[in-house]
Every structure is written in structure tokens, then in C-alpha cells.
Amino acid sequence: MSGDNSFVVVANRLPVDLHTAPDGTRTWTPSPGGLVAALSPVLEHQQGCWVGWPGVPDEAPEPFRTDAGVLLHPVRLTQGDFEGFYEGFSNASLWPLYHDLIVTPEYHREWWARYRDVNLLFAQEVAEVAAEGATVWVQDYQLQLVPGILRQLRPDLRIGFFLHIPFPGADLFRQLPWREEIIRGLLGADLIGFHLESNARNFLDLCAGTEGLTVSGTAATRRTDAHVTTHDGRSVAVGAFPISIDVDSLGEGTPGGVEKLRAELGDPQTVILGVDRLDYTKGILQRLLAFEELLEAGALEGAVLLQIATPSRERIDQYQVARSQVEEAVGRINGRFGSMGRPVVHYLHQSLPKSQLRTFYEAADVMLVTPFKDGMNLVAKEYVACHPDGSGALVLSEFAGAAVELHQANLCNPFDMESIKRALLTAVQGAPDVMRERMLAMHAQVSEYDVDRWAEAFLSALGEHR
Ligand code: G6P
């Protein structure tokens, strides 16, 4: 059982989603989230094969090659898989647990059974397309059992695993009724990568406290100084590999685009921008409340907030709650502080093309990134990349992984309203040369450590390990 692909990436989602129009016409559109944004250019450079779900239940078109040369291998998930594996165990159990219980995770045996079944399905698909001795790179929390299953099916493969979201402290992780299975699944990999050393340390602590596992070394960035030895004597490397962006994929700015956008917004003094999936981890409500309090105090004269909230996981209760809270706040703030034809919050619950996003990033005087918890947050890096001249200012949550590298940002604690307000005011009113210097330092960081450096660091560590 082997195919002819020497480099295979497997992620829950393909980089494109399948849409079927009422007349039956099928189209593919870019799928949401940072994982896809980061991995697409890597796959294009490697001309690899991408195994994943096309974003709708009960569909699995034939494999096909994209214009950029990536072979897409769709995996079919049933409606039951979608509900139990995707909405259930992945996004209502693991997602809140790994984001430090911002909402309470739910644990259901049926969801877990689906998670196991779907991980088996993904592993079987990979086993079929991967060439003898191929490198397989497994992505994210939806597929944590794949490395272990794949190792049994295809011991010839070189297997890497990367987690795109935070890894919680051992005390939290131990809540999980199926904790041993998840740890064993992950340890099927030759190399396990996290964004931050703190995430890697959490995983190593967990392993150190698990019978039959031995930990040596300490977590390091872009290195694999730490190892876990499994009960059968295999050594698994562990390291931190902070993900980044492909600066080129943001495209060129549209000439006159910024002026046009600012004019559409009523030529405000200050444009403040938020761009997120509509997720309760992102702290969108908190930033709206901070904006509202500053308007109330008369401290943000002539400012508008442009909030892009990409639809996400819309049938899950907690996402519906988050959306209605955000939309209620937008309505209230505009009712209080807007005037005819002049809202103070421009809110779009839509996903926008990259070219338009680029104009928004360029036009924004301040970017607000205020998650309660975030693996990395590539929006912060994209904003910085769009300001090579040092213009603009970034407000960034201390709890976003990006804060480790972008420490020159105006950092805030999103649990503390006064802290968000302080950071926002400093970003708006701070001394221009200080702000410029900070933006330039962050721009240098993002330009040097781009997504190619991330992939190269991970893949060469994986290559050296075996
Ligand atoms: C985050 C996750 C990704 C996920 C993306 C979009 O970035 O780490 O694995 O693909 O969100 O979420 P969705 O549920 O729409 O795939």
C-alpha cells in the first residue's frame, strides 16, 4: 500500500472549500484560518500532496492538481463525522481545553469515537498516497491520533506533527478522558513541533508525568534539544517552531486603494482595524467595549473601528453566543456614537479576498489583536508586513503566541479592560518616532523569519532526527 508522493501534508481542511451553487455549479474558494494561509506557499514550493477535507460533508471529489502544482487529495467526511469529529470533539472539546477553558469543554464518548474513526480514515488515505520512505507532515489538533496510526500502517515513513494552537498546562490536559490515547497518538511522530517553548514545555511536563515515558533535554526554539523516549524505546524530538507568513502572498497594494477606503469610511482621523475569525478566543467583544468606553470618555475623537469577522463554526452554541454579543455591541455603539450615514464601527461578517485585506491593513493606523489565547496569530504579522515604512501601530494581546516575537507591540491583557484601553490610547497618541521604531523592529523580525524559514527549520529538524 504506497503511492508516489514523497512529501505529503495532512490537515483537517484542504486549502480550498468546495461550494455548490443552486444550479449545481461547483467552485473552490480559499478556506479560512491561519493554518491554510501559512501552509499553502510551503506546499507550492515543494509541489507536494495535500490530504484534507473539502469543507462540506458527504463530498470527496477526485484528486486534482491546483494551478500552483499542489496535488489535492480530498477526504470524505459524513454528516455524522462532521458533527461528532469536527463540531464535537475537535471544536467543542479540544479547542476550548487547549485555549485554557475560555468556555467549558464538553466531553462525550460518541464524539471521541468519531474522532478516532476519522483519524483512522485520514491515516489510511495518507498511507495510500505516500511513497516508500516519504515525509508526512501532520497538522493540528484535529489529527493528533494520525501519527500513531500511521506509524503502525507505514513504519517506513518519516512523520512530523505540528500543533497550530496552544498546548495547555499538564493540569488542564489531564481533564481529558482520553488523555493517554492522545499522547500515544502524538508520540507516533518523529518530531512534534509547537509554536512556543512554553507550549513544548507543557507537553514535556505532561510526558514526564506519564508512566513509561522518559524526557531528556529542554524545549528550545528552532532546535530539538528535547526528546521523549517512548515505552518501546523510540526517541521523539520536541521543539518550538514559531509559524510565520508568506510576505509575497499578501500581493501588491492597489494604487489609490487606501485613500479610497478612508474616503468610504468618512475620512476619519484614525482608522482602527480588527480582523479575526468570529471565535470566542479572539476577544472581539472586549475590544469593542474598550473602544466604546474610550468614545464615552471623549478620548478617541474622530476614530472609526473597522471589524472584519470571518464566519466560523457557525452551528456551535458558543460561537453563536459570541456572534450575538459582538453584533449587539456593534449596534449599541453605533446607536450611541454614530450619526446619519456615519457609523463609528464598520462591521463585516464576511470573508474577504487577500487583496482587499491588504488595503485594510495598509489603511489602518492601529491594528487591534486582542485574543484571550491564541497559538500564534498571523493577522498581527500580516499587519506588520504591510507597513515596511514603520507607519501604523499594533496593539497585541500578551496571550497571543505572536507576542513573544513581536514584543515591541503595545501589549495588553485582554482580561483587563483598562489595559486594552491604555494600549489603544498609546497606539493612537504615542510619539510617532517611538511607534515607527517599534514597527520597523517588528517588520524586520517578520521579514527575516517568514513562513519559509518556519517550514525549513521544522523539516530539516525532522530530516536530521531519523
Ligand atoms: C485555526 C486552526 C486550524 C483551522 C482554522 C479554521 O487556525 O488551527 O486548524 O483550520 O482555525 O478553522 P476551521 O474550523 O474553519 O477549519
Side-chain angles (χ1 to χ4, degrees), residues 148-161:
I149 303 170
L150 210 47
R151 168 129 343 256
Q152 292 187 358
L153 294 178
R154 291 285 305 272
D156 58 297
L157 298 176
R158 199 187 283 271
I159 305 170
F161 178 89

Side-chain angles (χ1 to χ4, degrees), residues 2 9 23 36 49 52 63 91 146 183 208 211-212 223 297 342 348 363 459:
S2 80
V9 156
D23 68 357
V36 160
C49 170
N91 289 314
V146 168
I183 299 172
E211 217 184 298
R223 290 207 316 266
R342 286 275 170 267
L348 300 180
L459 292 172

Side-chain angles (χ1 to χ4, degrees), residues 4-20:
D4 53 8
N5 295 285
S6 56
F7 182 67
V8 180
V9 156
V10 51
N12 174 47
R13 264 182 196 278
L14 286 175
V16 283
D17 279 345
L18 179 64
H19 291 271
T20 310

Side-chain angles (χ1 to χ4, degrees), residues 183-198:
I183 299 172
R184 215 177 308 132
L186 290 169
L187 289 172
D190 296 297
L191 166 61
I192 303 175
F194 299 90
H195 286 306
L196 307 182
E197 289 176 14
S198 56

Side-chain angles (χ1 to χ4, degrees), residues 13 32-35 86 91 95 140-142 164-165 277 313:
R13 264 182 196 278
L35 181 155
Y86 172 76
N91 289 314
W95 181 268
D140 228 355
Y141 62 102
Q142 303 94 338
H164 290 257
I165 67 173
R277 272 184 316 100
R313 307 175 193 165

Side-chain angles (χ1 to χ4, degrees), residues 227-432:
H227 291 86
V228 179
T229 307
T230 62
H231 64 281
D232 54 358
R234 281 182 46 249
S235 164
V236 179
V238 174
F241 300 87
I243 203 168
S244 193
I245 57 165
D246 174 28
V247 177
D248 295 340
S249 77
L250 291 165
E252 298 285 315
T254 318
V258 168
E259 294 70 24
K260 185 162 167 274
L261 174 66
R262 292 191 76 111
E264 280 166 1
L265 296 173
D267 280 318
Q269 229 167 292
T270 312
V271 176
I272 303 168
L273 176 66
V275 177
D276 312 79
R277 272 184 316 100
L278 209 165
D279 194 301
Y280 53 80
T281 58
K282 302 289 184 183
I284 302 174
L285 176 64
Q286 274 53 35
R287 87 181 63 138
L288 284 165
L289 297 179
F291 182 64
E292 183 177 26
E293 288 192 13
L294 287 171
L295 289 178
E296 204 166 50
L300 275 182
E301 210 57 46
V304 299
L305 172 58
L306 173 53
Q307 176 66 51
I308 316 299
T310 309
S312 187
R313 307 175 193 165
E314 291 195 270
R315 302 185 342 151
I316 301 175
D317 289 349
Q318 304 286 6
Y319 287 77
Q320 293 178 354
V321 171
R323 179 176 172 192
S324 45
Q325 288 175 338
V326 163
E327 294 184 350
E328 188 196 319
V330 170
R332 187 185 60 245
I333 298 169
N334 280 331
R336 294 183 66 194
F337 300 102
S339 56
M340 284 299 283
R342 286 275 170 267
V344 285
V345 181
H346 296 256
Y347 167 75
L348 300 180
H349 184 241
Q350 297 163 24
S351 93
L352 298 181
K354 271 258 146 97
S355 56
Q356 206 174 343
L357 265 188
R358 171 156 196 135
T359 306
F360 287 7
Y361 286 142
E362 285 177 350
D365 301 297
V366 177
M367 182 83 209
L368 267 180
V369 181
T370 57
F372 293 121
K373 190 81 186 173
D374 211 334
M376 175 55 67
N377 196 294
L378 294 181
V379 162
K381 291 190 171 182
E382 286 179 349
Y383 176 73
V384 166
C386 289
H387 289 262
D389 59 353
S391 59
L394 175 65
V395 172
L396 180 60
S397 161
E398 292 165 25
F399 300 100
V404 172
E405 291 164 303
L406 304 183
H407 52 89
Q408 301 91 342
N410 300 283
L411 295 177
C412 71
N413 170 6
F415 295 91
D416 173 2
M417 191 58 61
E418 295 306 322
S419 167
I420 309 177
K421 284 161 65 181
R422 253 194 327 270
L424 179 51
L425 271 189
T426 314
V428 174
Q429 301 169 349

